[in-house]
Amino acid sequence: MHQPTNPVANERRELTSFWAGGQEYCVDIMSVREIRGWSAATPLPQSPQYMRGVINLRGAVLPIMDLAERLDLPPTQPSERSVIIVVQVGERLVGLLVDAVSDILSINPDQIQPTPDVGCDQAKAFIRGLITIDDRMVSEIAVERLLPEVEGLAA
Amino acid sequence: MDELEEIKITFFQECDELLGDLESGLLSIDAGATDPELINAVFRAVHSIKGGAGAFGLEALVRYAHVFETLLDNVRGGKTDLRSELVKALLRAADVLADHVAAAKQGGEGDAVSTAAMVEELEAWISGGPVPTAPAEEVNIEPNEDGIVFTPIKLSIPEVDEGPKEQAWTITFQPMDELYSKANEAGLLIREIERLGKIEVELLDDALPTFDSLDPETAHFAWKVRLRTEVQEERIREVFEFVEGHCSTTIVREAPAPTAIEPAAGPDIAAIIAAAQAGDAQAAANSAPSEEATAIAPEPPAASLPAAAVPALAESMSSRGAPPPAPEKGNQATIRVDPERIDKLIDLVGELVINQAMLAQRVSGHGFAASSDVGRGLDELEQLTRDIQDSVMAIRAQPVKSVFQRMPRLVREIAGQTGKQVRLVTEGEGTEVDKTVIERISEPITHMLRNAIDHGLETPEERIEAGKPAEGTVRLAALHRGGRIVIEVGDDGKGINRPRVRQLAIDRGLISADAQLTDEEVDNLIFLPGFSTAAKISDISGRGVGMDVVRKSVQGLGGRISISSKPGLGSMFTLSLPLTLAVLDGMVIDVAGQTLVVPLTAIVESLRPTPAEVKKVGAQGGVLAVRDAYVPLVDIGRVLGFQTVDTNPAEGVVLLVDSEVGGRAALVADSIHGQRQVVIKSLESNYQQVPGIAAATILGDGRVALILDVDALVAMRRRELPRADEPFIEAAE
């Protein structure tokens, strides 16, 4: 099993990169289950703004999150070119609504720098590290932190 | 996976089944069954667990199971008499064995202290040897509060055991309504008892109400019969065989003149043990087969051997005495299937149902008539799909037995903690429901049983004072009714103290002081949040989980729970649940451009109100005049946040619903699409619970639709309103 949180030194990692809110981000390719086109989601009541709703993923109910809005960027305007990246977080699947998939990156762990203090809580909370490739900077998303806190079962 | 690990998993699965067989076997024996095959089955269960545990090197489990098995083998061989105290001890031993298995499953070992106490008790029984049945005094060896088990040592007094002897019995017999409705007659039963010996009958008419409140169809009388007879208890029990469950009966042997038997307590313990073993030696020799008698008699018999020597002997006995584990079950050709495979199959069939609906929608969209070849073909496909769905659901259906089996132990524990005497009667264990429901009913049943014993039943003293048998009866039953499963938990306790419940509800601001409530409504006040009738919070019911939480979790499953009560006679919880949590009958509606599904069970009726029937109350609220009552309007779209302005009910559709928390409510929607069976999809598996939404489903067009949680929706609207001083429960209409 690949352990994204504790990469073995010298082991190359592969990442899927994509555009959201005009910036380039990436997630570990091992957590990506599939990439599909945008289809209208059924809105969920009483949910955070960045939850776009749920769609039918071959019989399972898949929540869709607007990644840009989750990162406090302007909300994504879904179009025919928008894509949903289905990522696995623990036992759960979640769909990330992004503008476009751009690349597959193969990097050495030492190419990842820790997130500097950028004075933006959301960015700091959801970004695991920064990767520099040529003159591009790609932020690695910590997918496991994206889902809203599960409400404790108040008894 | 490691191959050994896989076999181990199978072993633990088998252990669960064997422990179930063990307990149900012992319970049947406890209830008076005398079939020798039962004790064989019980023995085999323990033997098989021991054998398997040995193969996996589970030493502690083997050691304990071994002692247990040895005692059972003695019982089986007639060396130890199966008396009521012994059965009780065996039941507790079975509990400890279950603990051991559970611990072994986690890779640990059972609790050493309770094991040591139990082993000591079992060994005492093993060395206790045959004890004469005649003056068997009813020594109650329930563990006391500290869990210490006192083990009386029996003395052999062979002279007493000669032939039947006349004894006095007191039989208390209270018919229930069902006894008469099943065309039985109390008089006939008493005459039947009379044939066994000399009787004196006393009528107990304490429960007879005054004439104006007399219900002629209800049983009010009980009888106390003193019987002098030579026959055994089983013969007396046989009289009541046909009315079992329809009357409460206790049969108590009257204490004979005090004999010199006392539990070992003095300085002479050693002497008593020696005497016991001597008696044992003699009796064991008597019971040995005649051709071996001469050889064995001079030797110390098996049962009185030092503990260390017992295992080897028991081993040899079991190897020739016990048949290979559970051969008689072989004829029910069954296969073991990983439940995940069935779940997968059910999911796939769900997909098929959705796909078939999608196809039908598209075909009709292309203008094919229902009578065309294509239309007919689709009809047949739909029929087939439904049949497949039903058959697949039937595969996953399980009898509620697996849940019921766990309850006797719970009842014993609660009885022990509360100091009450409880007999649990179960009915309808074979009732089948979907696995999804089985997994969820154990908790509400546990709470209902706790409540029935802790709050419902009286202490033995109170019961005797009220003219009831000291032992209370709790009945747990399952049945199918109207496409749902109904679980009933009834007790024969004191019933709900209505004036007190009412006063408490008023004190806590749950109802207004002048609210007019029917008896039934008062009884069901106990389900309101913030209500607890226990004057002192006990360990059992005061675990922070009130009946309101139970009701809420039941409603979450699409079920209902209620209680009915007869003062002085007992209470009954009734829990009804859908047979499956995989599909649901729903009404498909449109709200603010969204398609939603309302569970059909919640809907009383749907109507199109006229403008005159809609009344404004204040700035936001509104009510709908339905016949003579005003029902609060709930705008679904606004409560869920889909719209900010209420839909005009006169332009839309109104669904009258019964919610458990807020009484009747009128849900306002834009339009109704129709009724449909939908496949329930969990929102929680990938996301989390959403307020007001029970689950999701996938409609014919492939889109996700949300299933409303009607109770939560009504509760949300109430919270949204400024807290009016309206009573929590509307006055009865």
Side-chain angles (χ1 to χ4, degrees):
Chain A
M1 274 293 283
H2 196 92
Q3 300 259 318
T5 49
N6 184 21
V8 181
N10 298 328
E11 190 191 330
R12 288 189 79 79
R13 293 178 61 202
E14 295 208 314
L15 300 153
T16 308
S17 75
F18 47 85
W19 290 91
Q23 300 181 8
E24 197 172 8
Y25 295 95
C26 63
V27 293
D28 196 290
I29 206 164
M30 299 304 286
S31 67
V32 176
R33 286 285 152 269
E34 67 179 278
I35 295 171
R36 49 185 289 139
W38 163 256
S39 56
T42 304
L44 290 171
Q46 314 266 335
S47 296
Q49 274 295 315
Y50 55 80
M51 291 309 302
R52 281 301 175 98
V54 284
I55 63 165
N56 166 19
L57 179 74
R58 286 182 307 282
V61 175
L62 180 77
I64 302 296
M65 179 187 295
D66 180 350
L67 185 67
E69 199 162 357
R70 182 63 168 145
L71 299 173
D72 263 358
L73 299 168
T76 307
Q77 300 298 325
S79 70
E80 283 186 15
R81 298 201 353 253
S82 305
V83 288
I84 290 168
I85 301 178
V86 182
V87 293
Q88 178 138 22
V89 184
E91 294 282 292
R92 297 164 166 202
L93 291 176
V94 61
L96 303 178
L97 171 63
V98 300
D99 290 328
V101 173
S102 62
D103 208 351
I104 307 256
L105 311 172
S106 178
I107 57 151
N108 275 321
D110 56 13
Q111 280 176 270
I112 305 180
Q113 298 174 23
T115 319
D117 217 334
V118 287
C120 172
D121 289 346
Q122 300 294 79
K124 177 86 176 152
F126 302 132
I127 293 169
R128 199 193 309 282
L130 303 177
I131 299 156
T132 315
I133 297 162
D134 305 330
D135 54 350
R136 286 149 66 198
M137 189 198 75
V138 184
S139 313
E140 190 194 351
I141 300 281
V143 282
E144 71 281 0
R145 302 182 201 152
L146 284 175
L147 281 174
E149 290 286 309
V150 177
E151 291 167 43
L153 289 172
Chain B
M1 196 190 289
D2 183 356
E3 200 172 316
L4 188 67
E5 278 303 305
E6 260 178 62
I7 303 173
K8 206 165 173 177
I9 288 170
T10 314
F11 163 65
F12 282 121
Q13 281 168 355
E14 276 174 7
C15 275
D16 290 341
E17 285 167 25
L18 291 166
L19 286 169
D21 292 350
L22 170 62
E23 180 160 37
S24 58
L26 286 173
L27 286 172
S28 315
I29 294 169
D30 193 30
T34 51
D35 184 358
E37 188 43 41
L38 269 174
I39 191 71
N40 281 334
V42 164
F43 171 81
R44 273 199 305 274
V46 177
H47 180 71
S48 305
I49 292 174
K50 189 187 94 172
F56 293 106
L58 304 168
E59 299 268 338
L61 177 54
V62 173
R63 273 198 306 275
Y64 175 72
H66 184 81
V67 182
F68 195 1
E69 182 192 29
T70 308
L71 175 57
L72 285 171
D73 196 51
N74 279 2
V75 173
R76 198 168 62 131
K79 289 207 187 76
T80 305
D81 252 338
L82 195 51
R83 295 183 297 121
S84 133
E85 309 94 283
L86 176 56
V87 178
K88 295 270 190 307
L90 291 175
L91 275 165
R92 275 181 288 115
D95 291 347
V96 175
L97 185 65
D99 288 343
H100 265 280
V101 170
K105 207 187 274 185
Q106 306 296 327
E109 290 189 356
D111 177 38
V113 178
S114 63
T115 306
M118 201 66 232
V119 165
E120 203 173 302
E121 188 178 349
L122 292 176
E123 278 172 349
W125 278 104
I126 293 169
S127 51
V131 178
T133 49
E137 74 293 348
E138 294 285 330
V139 181
N140 201 345
I141 49 163
E142 290 295 317
N144 68 11
E145 280 171 1
D146 299 316
I148 298 167
V149 178
F150 289 101
T151 311
I153 290 177
K154 308 290 172 206
L155 292 175
S156 285
I157 308 172
E159 305 80 36
V160 196
D161 198 18
E162 284 164 3
K165 183 170 166 284
E166 188 170 86
Q167 287 171 357
W169 300 81
T170 303
I171 302 159
T172 328
F173 160 58
Q174 182 179 15
M176 297 174 187
D177 301 355
E178 292 94 287
L179 183 126
Y180 295 102
S181 65
K182 293 261 162 30
N184 273 307
E185 224 276 307
L188 291 175
L189 292 164
I190 293 171
R191 235 167 274 157
E192 193 71 26
I193 300 173
E194 192 176 11
R195 285 166 54 182
L196 301 176
K198 290 192 279 294
I199 63 169
E200 291 164 41
V201 185
E202 184 190 341
L203 173 67
L204 307 173
D205 59 356
D206 310 351
L208 187 68
T210 53
F211 190 72
D212 51 355
S213 57
L214 183 84
D215 177 359
E217 304 225 340
T218 304
H220 298 292
F221 288 134
W223 286 269
K224 191 190 237 171
V225 183
R226 286 198 74 228
L227 170 69
R228 296 197 68 81
T229 180
E230 291 176 5
V231 303
Q232 293 297 310
E233 184 170 346
E234 290 89 327
R235 184 66 196 87
I236 306 174
R237 290 214 179 271
E238 267 170 35
V239 173
F240 296 97
E241 198 170 54
F242 294 106
V243 291
E244 211 177 325
H246 299 148
C247 62
S248 50
T249 318
T250 49
I251 299 173
V252 181
R253 193 197 333 250
E254 285 180 15
T259 51
I261 300 171
E262 281 172 10
D268 284 344
I269 292 174
I272 293 171
I273 291 173
Q277 290 184 343
D280 175 57
Q282 190 184 350
N286 291 345
S287 66
S290 57
E291 69 267 26
E292 286 171 38
T294 44
I296 285 178
E299 302 285 333
S304 62
L305 281 173
V310 174
L313 189 79
E315 198 54 70
S316 71
M317 288 192 339
S318 57
S319 59
R320 82 184 130 87
E328 86 242 42
K329 282 201 174 166
N331 54 0
Q332 312 170 345
T334 55
I335 49 168
R336 267 177 209 277
V337 182
D338 184 349
E340 273 178 27
R341 290 191 190 184
I342 298 174
D343 294 350
K344 176 81 187 154
L345 190 59
I346 286 180
D347 282 352
L348 283 173
V349 173
E351 291 301 290
L352 185 63
V353 171
I354 293 164
N355 233 289
Q356 179 270 327
M358 250 192 283
L359 196 58
Q361 204 167 339
R362 281 179 201 164
V363 163
S364 74
H366 281 82
F368 286 99
S371 58
S372 67
D373 278 356
V374 177
R376 278 203 307 262
L378 271 175
D379 272 354
E380 280 163 27
L381 179 63
E382 181 178 354
Q383 191 56 47
L384 268 176
T385 319
R386 294 267 174 231
D387 287 353
I388 296 176
Q389 191 172 30
D390 290 349
S391 316
V392 174
M393 294 303 293
I395 297 179
R396 203 169 59 169
Q398 290 176 348
V400 291
K401 190 173 176 199
S402 59
V403 173
F404 278 22
Q405 269 178 346
R406 282 179 258 155
M407 297 306 157
R409 174 171 188 178
L410 179 88
V411 168
R412 281 197 294 280
E413 285 173 1
I414 303 171
Q417 286 168 28
T418 52
K420 293 174 183 177
Q421 294 177 22
V422 189
R423 190 166 66 96
L424 178 70
V425 182
T426 54
E427 286 170 28
E429 291 181 318
T431 312
E432 286 191 335
V433 279
D434 188 47
K435 192 192 84 175
T436 49
V437 179
I438 288 274
E439 286 163 356
R440 313 287 287 272
I441 55 171
S442 147
E443 202 181 307
I445 291 179
T446 308
H447 283 294
M448 290 191 291
L449 282 176
R450 281 214 168 98
N451 210 285
I453 298 170
D454 197 26
H455 298 312
L457 291 183
E458 312 92 327
T459 60
E461 301 81 51
E462 285 168 347
R463 289 184 65 88
I464 290 166
E465 207 167 292
K468 299 185 195 179
E471 188 182 55
T473 303
V474 173
R475 183 175 150 272
L476 171 62
L479 57 144
H480 281 149
R481 190 188 289 152
R484 293 168 76 83
I485 180 167
V486 176
I487 309 270
E488 294 175 344
V489 174
D491 64 68
D492 63 348
K494 55 186 179 285
I496 288 181
N497 184 343
R498 291 198 181 112
R500 214 175 127 245
V501 164
R502 201 190 139 87
Q503 192 52 47
L504 270 170
I506 294 169
D507 292 349
R508 287 168 198 188
L510 301 173
I511 55 168
S512 62
D514 55 355
Q516 298 280 318
L517 302 183
T518 62
D519 286 350
E520 201 188 330
E521 282 169 323
V522 174
D523 289 349
N524 284 285
L525 287 174
I526 65 158
F527 291 109
L528 290 185
F531 192 94
S532 173
T533 50
K536 58 175 172 130
I537 293 200
S538 64
D539 212 19
I540 295 95
S541 304
R543 290 189 179 173
V545 181
M547 290 315 286
D548 58 320
V549 179
V550 176
R551 169 173 273 199
K552 220 166 161 214
S553 77
V554 166
Q555 283 162 359
L557 306 177
R560 283 160 202 278
I561 184 170
S562 62
I563 187 166
S564 61
S565 168
K566 281 184 191 169
L569 295 176
S571 316
M572 184 157 87
F573 283 105
T574 308
L575 164 70
S576 106
L577 284 172
L579 289 179
T580 171
L581 300 178
V583 292
L584 165 135
D585 281 311
M587 183 83 86
V588 183
I589 59 167
D590 247 5
V591 172
Q594 299 297 325
T595 308
L596 295 171
V597 179
V598 186
L600 218 51
T601 46
I603 301 177
V604 182
E605 63 176 298
S606 57
L607 40 100
R608 285 182 181 280
T610 62
E613 287 166 342
V614 181
K615 314 269 186 215
K616 275 259 169 212
V617 178
Q620 291 200 318
V623 292
L624 181 73
V626 182
R627 288 173 282 277
D628 290 334
Y630 288 112
V631 181
L633 285 163
V634 179
D635 190 88
I636 303 173
R638 201 165 54 77
V639 175
L640 293 181
F642 289 152
Q643 58 188 18
T644 47
V645 184
D646 282 2
T647 302
N648 181 355
E651 289 168 10
V653 193
V654 165
L655 301 174
L656 274 189
V657 293
D658 259 337
S659 78
E660 306 276 356
V661 278
R664 192 159 281 195
L667 305 186
V668 185
D670 292 338
S671 61
I672 291 182
H673 283 295
Q675 230 169 285
R676 194 167 306 166
Q677 192 180 54
V678 297
V679 179
I680 299 174
K681 299 284 179 181
S682 154
L683 273 176
E684 283 111 277
S685 61
N686 283 325
Y687 186 52
Q688 61 184 33
Q689 240 179 348
V690 177
I693 302 300
T697 186
I698 294 162
L699 292 180
D701 59 5
R703 292 197 55 178
V704 176
L706 301 175
I707 302 172
L708 283 186
D709 179 343
V710 169
D711 288 316
L713 194 76
V714 174
M716 279 160 71
R717 177 196 163 269
R718 298 176 72 85
R719 234 176 292 139
E720 185 183 279
L721 290 174
R723 180 78 189 155
D725 50 359
E726 59 186 37
F728 205 90
I729 284 194
E730 324 286 346
E733 292 159 23

